[in-house]
Amino acid sequence: AKFVAANPLGPMADPFAGLGDDQKEYQKEMSENVNKRLEKAMDELKEKHAKGTNETDDPDRAPTGHSYRDHQAQVERQRRAAQAGKERKREEEAARISALK
């Protein structure tokens, strides 16, 4: 068997090797698009950080906002009502059983 000396970093040096011309164009366009979007997002983050607005958020959108607390309170009321209904049914069942004895 013959061994060919291959550069292990070759695929990183030329990531488009083995692709057709159309595929190369598509890959290049897509990578440029992704890079533009990443750069734009990083610029926005840098801008927010520089202005000091990266930590401020609308309290109604945060998990501790009014709507979140209202929703949690409603869920808790429903849970308590369901628990009270189950307890009432248990008591009624116990009263029926004791009445039959």
Side-chain angles (χ1 to χ4, degrees), residues 28-99:
K28 285 181 183 179
E29 284 180 32
M30 186 154 63
S31 64
E32 288 173 7
N33 187 3
V34 168
N35 285 337
K36 284 179 189 176
R37 289 178 184 218
L38 285 173
E39 287 174 10
K40 181 180 175 186
M42 288 302 295
D43 289 341
E44 288 175 0
L45 286 173
K46 286 177 188 176
E47 206 173 294
K48 283 183 179 181
H49 188 72
K51 290 181 183 176
T53 59
N54 60 327
E55 294 180 15
T56 58
D57 196 5
D58 182 17
D60 285 332
R61 292 183 48 194
T64 57
H66 298 292
S67 54
Y68 178 79
R69 286 192 297 261
D70 292 344
H71 174 71
Q72 286 300 102
Q74 181 182 3
V75 168
E76 184 63 23
R77 283 192 300 271
Q78 290 173 347
R79 187 189 67 76
R80 287 182 184 168
Q83 185 67 27
K86 288 179 183 179
E87 187 64 33
R88 197 174 340 108
K89 286 183 181 180
R90 282 190 208 123
E91 290 173 1
E92 290 173 0
E93 187 66 27
R96 258 187 264 159
I97 290 173
S98 64

